[in-house]
Amino acid sequence: MTRTAPAGPDPSARDDLRALLAQVESGLRTFLSQERFRWSRPDGRGAEPALAVAELVGAGGKRLRPRFLLSGYLAAGGEPGEAPVRAAMALELLHVSALIHDDVMDDADRRRTRPTVHARHAEIHRDREWFGEPRRYGESVAILAGDLAWAYADYLMAGTSPAVAREWFDLKSELIAGQAMDVTAAAELTPDAELARHIALVKSGRYTVHRPLTLGALLAGRADLAAAFQPYGEALGEAFQLRDDLIDAFGDGTVSGKPVRQDFGRGKMTLLLALAMRSDERIRALVERGEVELLRERLSGTAVHARIEARIEQLVERACASLAVAALPPEWRRELTSTASSAAYREA
Amino acid sequence: MTRTAPAGPDPSARDDLRALLAQVESGLRTFLSQERFRWSRPDGRGAEPALAVAELVGAGGKRLRPRFLLSGYLAAGGEPGEAPVRAAMALELLHVSALIHDDVMDDADRRRTRPTVHARHAEIHRDREWFGEPRRYGESVAILAGDLAWAYADYLMAGTSPAVAREWFDLKSELIAGQAMDVTAAAELTPDAELARHIALVKSGRYTVHRPLTLGALLAGRADLAAAFQPYGEALGEAFQLRDDLIDAFGDGTVSGKPVRQDFGRGKMTLLLALAMRSDERIRALVERGEVELLRERLSGTAVHARIEARIEQLVERACASLAVAALPPEWRRELTSTASSAAYREA
């Protein structure tokens, strides 16, 4: 591939970011192919989790968390190097771990356009007429694959400073606490807009944007930037989650590569569903009966739908306004402003 | 509790070990109670995984892996301190994570005399008549609790040397690869004694004894001892696993606090079952029909049963013989010899 080099000695923020993201991709490929090889002997059965992780990483994804970590690092004045690339690889592998485990909890059958790990391995069990229950077998392989991706993430994050290690731990344990709230709120099926907002903040605001940016700043030795990244990250992260909810509720699964209407199916207490259930008592019965397409029709274009869009707009504004007062180079202020729009107004 | 202090300035190996193990217990209690408190606000639903981990740790267990790590550390001349205690806490929490996830994979209903995490939470879902499937809800909480215990383990192990971080990573990824082989071999239900031995080596030999001892030696800065610990650890670990298999096959569940005959129920390819299936074609049908008590009767006291006992004896001898040539203080040679017998000839 030929590409014109940047004209001056100071390439733009976006070029630096692109170069580091390319290193993350090649780093992931190399690491995962070594791991697959490592477990292929003496018995290939041990390599299945590594294979599943490599396949899901190879199937694409937005690499949003690596992007935020590297943005935080470069915006904080960090020099391109191995440490931020390894940390960005770790974030993506942790995310893959969470996706594999979440797909079991949601019983989702597709992810990144492919069958999910548990669905695929249940199918293998069925096809080969193995002993035991196909569902349990598929979920066992998925639990192990998620555990392995998690172990990879921690290995890549080893040896960092105590401040980075603490932020990394907080990110992981908050992700788990957020998912626990999510799963239990869905089971209770109690409309609670305040709880829905809190879950979006914890599960997505901090996990997807705020803490990755902060990790980047900490890796660059700029703990002071964490305070500036917090309002941006939390607001944009919540907006990102609300968009995720809208894509699931009203979007087209052929665009996102994963099934839609999953949230309605499992009663996930999104802000959309919490507000809808409170404004219309008949919504609960549709959820309980699994009428997911009827729910889409019933809620699309309503005042509740409009309220979510308005909240996204408000959150993006708040995120961008917080950048104006942050001690950041102008090109990074522009870059993070542009990222806010593209993350909050994406289609998949 | 009053206890007579050791007479001289040089307390015995066992006293040092006991003191460090007590620090591990109090360290676990303090850490887990802080964590439960941390997630109890603003919404207690997020604290369920932390609560589940704290309960399982509090319910006891043999603390075998902390014991081996601390033995390796002290035998290598390490001074009592915070680093080995944190690493031992990490090993126990990793083990608790593996138990919670394994119990989902095996659909075990009891562990350490209590209901397993997934069984207990499925029951809560059923009792409260929540939305969705009780089984999936219970397993979701268990997946999250296991993930959280794993995150705790890594946090406690953060900041160690590159050699320790690598050993820790190898221990974790090997545990996963071993479990993957185990789950798939059980599903295939193909009697393969060689594979059964390999799984016992990877899943238990290295995970339970060899790598914990090595971690201890590395924490004490004695990488040279790793070679001496390997034959001891691998042999004793395999013996430990074979005893585990015999306790499950022939033992009394009221003693171990966990259900017995689980391995027969899921076709786990233990050395016992592999040899039994090869010596008697009718065994397969009993496994397929789930006749676990009939399998116990049929195999107890057979030549195959005796072969497993003989192999345990041979492995313990090999483990102890390897100590004779290791550069260890005599009191640690004695201590590890005694540990080998008690681990391989335990009743629960």
Side-chain angles (χ1 to χ4, degrees), chain B residues 26 33 42-43 65 82 119 156 158 163 197-198 201 261 292 301 324 326 337:
Chain B
S26 66
S33 91
D43 185 86
R65 291 150 199 90
E82 204 193 353
L156 290 162
R197 273 201 199 107
H198 181 64
L201 169 68
R261 262 58 89 203
V292 298
T337 302

Side-chain angles (χ1 to χ4, degrees), chain A residues 31 35 38-39 41-49 97 101-107 118 125 128-133 135-137 139-141 143-152 154-155 158-160 162 165-166 168-170 172-181 183-190 192 195 198 202 211 264-267 287-290, chain B residues 31 35 38-39 41-49 97 101-107 118 125 128-133 135-137 139-141 143-152 154-155 158-160 162 165-166 168-170 172-181 183-190 192 195 198 202 211 264-267 287-290:
Chain A
F31 179 79
E35 278 296 312
R38 179 184 180 203
W39 298 112
R41 299 164 307 173
D43 185 86
R45 293 175 186 87
E48 284 299 333
S97 168
H101 283 179
D102 284 8
D103 284 342
V104 173
M105 299 182 219
D106 295 347
D107 195 22
H118 71 279
H125 189 287
R128 302 190 185 166
E129 298 181 342
W130 279 348
F131 179 66
E133 192 195 28
R135 168 176 169 178
R136 193 165 298 280
Y137 177 76
E139 292 177 3
S140 296
V141 176
I143 291 172
L144 292 168
D147 288 349
L148 188 62
W150 190 288
Y152 289 163
D154 277 301
Y155 176 62
T160 50
R166 180 74 213 190
W168 175 238
F169 173 55
D170 286 344
K172 290 185 295 179
S173 39
E174 207 164 50
L175 169 65
I176 294 165
Q179 179 70 3
M181 286 188 270
V183 162
T184 301
E188 294 177 11
L189 205 57
T190 309
D192 182 338
L195 179 62
H198 180 64
V202 170
R211 293 206 189 275
F264 290 150
R266 69 180 188 89
V287 174
E288 286 177 343
R289 291 206 309 271
Chain B
F31 178 79
E35 279 295 312
R38 178 184 180 204
W39 298 112
R41 299 162 309 170
D43 185 86
R45 293 175 185 87
E48 284 300 332
S97 168
H101 283 179
D102 284 7
D103 283 341
V104 173
M105 298 183 220
D106 296 347
D107 195 20
H118 70 280
H125 190 287
R128 302 190 185 166
E129 298 181 344
W130 279 348
F131 178 64
E133 192 196 27
R135 167 176 170 179
R136 193 165 297 282
Y137 177 76
E139 293 177 3
S140 296
V141 177
I143 290 173
L144 291 168
D147 288 349
L148 187 63
W150 190 288
Y152 289 163
D154 277 300
Y155 177 62
T160 48
R166 180 74 214 190
W168 176 238
F169 172 54
D170 285 344
K172 291 186 295 180
S173 38
E174 207 164 50
L175 169 64
I176 295 165
Q179 179 70 1
M181 286 188 271
V183 162
T184 301
E188 294 176 9
L189 206 56
T190 309
D192 182 338
L195 178 62
H198 181 64
V202 169
R211 294 204 188 277
F264 289 149
R266 67 180 188 87
V287 174
E288 286 177 342
R289 291 206 309 270

Side-chain angles (χ1 to χ4, degrees), chain A residues 280-345:
Chain A
D280 183 347
E281 285 182 353
R282 294 163 304 179
I283 296 296
R284 167 186 289 272
L286 294 181
V287 174
E288 286 177 343
R289 291 206 309 271
E291 296 278 12
V292 298
E293 288 304 326
L294 213 56
L295 280 161
R296 177 185 61 76
E297 281 173 38
R298 195 67 65 86
L299 298 181
S300 179
T302 56
V304 164
H305 183 169
R307 269 185 73 184
I308 307 296
E309 283 289 1
R311 181 155 176 88
I312 291 175
E313 195 177 332
Q314 187 189 37
L315 287 163
V316 172
E317 267 174 34
R318 191 193 301 169
C320 294
S322 74
L323 291 175
V325 293
L328 289 170
E331 70 269 27
W332 277 105
R333 206 170 283 146
R334 281 196 302 275
E335 178 65 22
L336 289 170
T337 302
S338 143
T339 305
S341 293
S342 55
Y345 293 104

Side-chain angles (χ1 to χ4, degrees), chain B residues 255-334:
Chain B
V255 177
S256 62
K258 58 188 176 187
V260 287
R261 262 58 89 203
Q262 291 274 121
D263 293 348
F264 289 149
R266 67 180 188 87
K268 185 180 166 189
M269 202 40 64
T270 59
L271 186 57
L272 176 73
L273 187 61
L275 295 176
M277 281 175 73
R278 289 230 313 241
S279 71
D280 183 348
E281 284 182 353
R282 294 163 303 177
I283 296 295
R284 167 185 291 272
L286 294 181
V287 174
E288 286 177 342
R289 291 206 309 270
E291 297 277 13
V292 298
E293 288 304 328
L294 212 56
L295 279 161
R296 177 185 62 76
E297 281 173 37
R298 197 66 66 85
L299 298 181
S300 179
T302 56
V304 164
H305 184 171
R307 269 185 72 184
I308 307 296
E309 283 289 1
R311 182 157 174 87
I312 290 175
E313 196 178 332
Q314 186 189 37
L315 287 162
V316 172
E317 267 174 33
R318 191 193 302 169
C320 295
S322 74
L323 290 175
V325 292
L328 289 170
E331 70 269 27
W332 278 104
R333 206 171 284 147
R334 281 196 301 275

Side-chain angles (χ1 to χ4, degrees), chain A residues 47-347:
Chain A
E48 284 299 333
L51 198 59
V53 173
E55 281 176 355
L56 187 52
V57 170
K62 295 183 280 287
R63 309 293 196 243
L64 209 64
R65 293 151 198 89
R67 181 179 288 271
F68 279 118
L69 181 141
L70 295 170
S71 297
Y73 181 81
L74 292 169
E79 290 293 320
E82 203 193 353
V85 170
R86 282 177 73 93
M89 288 164 64
L91 265 185
E92 185 62 17
L93 286 163
L94 180 75
H95 186 55
V96 158
S97 168
L99 293 178
I100 295 172
H101 283 179
D102 284 8
D103 284 342
V104 173
M105 299 182 219
D106 295 347
D107 195 22
D109 57 1
R110 298 190 77 75
R111 170 69 69 181
R112 292 182 178 172
T113 77
R114 300 176 184 213
T116 49
V117 177
H118 71 279
R120 185 167 156 257
H121 285 271
E123 193 59 31
I124 289 171
H125 189 287
R126 225 172 270 119
D127 283 351
R128 302 190 185 166
E129 298 181 342
W130 279 348
F131 179 66
E133 192 195 28
R135 168 176 169 178
R136 193 165 298 280
Y137 177 76
E139 292 177 3
S140 296
V141 176
I143 291 172
L144 292 168
D147 288 349
L148 188 62
W150 190 288
Y152 289 163
D154 277 301
Y155 176 62
L156 289 162
M157 201 59 107
T160 50
S161 71
V164 171
R166 180 74 213 190
E167 187 74 17
W168 175 238
F169 173 55
D170 286 344
L171 178 150
K172 290 185 295 179
S173 39
E174 207 164 50
L175 169 65
I176 294 165
Q179 179 70 3
M181 286 188 270
D182 195 4
V183 162
T184 301
E188 294 177 11
L189 205 57
T190 309
D192 182 338
E194 219 23 74
L195 179 62
R197 273 199 200 106
H198 180 64
I199 293 173
L201 169 68
V202 170
K203 252 193 78 171
S204 197
R206 296 205 190 124
Y207 165 65
T208 303
V209 192
H210 166 215
R211 293 206 189 275
L213 280 168
T214 302
L215 279 169
L218 292 173
L219 283 163
R222 287 283 305 277
D224 61 296
L225 270 180
F229 284 149
Q230 182 159 358
Y232 172 84
E234 291 188 351
L236 175 57
E238 190 185 335
F240 177 85
Q241 181 61 52
L242 294 177
R243 177 62 60 201
D244 221 48
D245 298 344
L246 292 181
I247 291 169
D248 185 79
F250 306 120
D252 176 351
T254 58
V255 177
S256 62
K258 58 186 175 187
V260 287
R261 261 59 90 200
Q262 292 274 120
D263 294 347
F264 290 150
R266 69 180 188 89
K268 185 180 165 188
M269 202 39 63
T270 60
L271 186 57
L272 176 74
L273 187 61
L275 295 176
M277 281 176 72
R278 292 232 308 244
S279 71
D280 183 347
E281 285 182 353
R282 294 163 304 179
I283 296 296
R284 167 186 289 272
L286 294 181
V287 174
E288 286 177 343
R289 291 206 309 271
E291 296 278 12
V292 298
E293 288 304 326
L294 213 56
L295 280 161
R296 177 185 61 76
E297 281 173 38
R298 195 67 65 86
L299 298 181
S300 179
T302 56
V304 164
H305 183 169
R307 269 185 73 184
I308 307 296
E309 283 289 1
R311 181 155 176 88
I312 291 175
E313 195 177 332
Q314 187 189 37
L315 287 163
V316 172
E317 267 174 34
R318 191 193 301 169
C320 294
S322 74
L323 291 175
V325 293
L328 289 170
E331 70 269 27
W332 277 105
R333 206 170 283 146
R334 281 196 302 275
E335 178 65 22
L336 289 170
T337 302
S338 143
T339 305
S341 293
S342 55
Y345 293 104
R346 74 196 193 282
E347 291 187 354

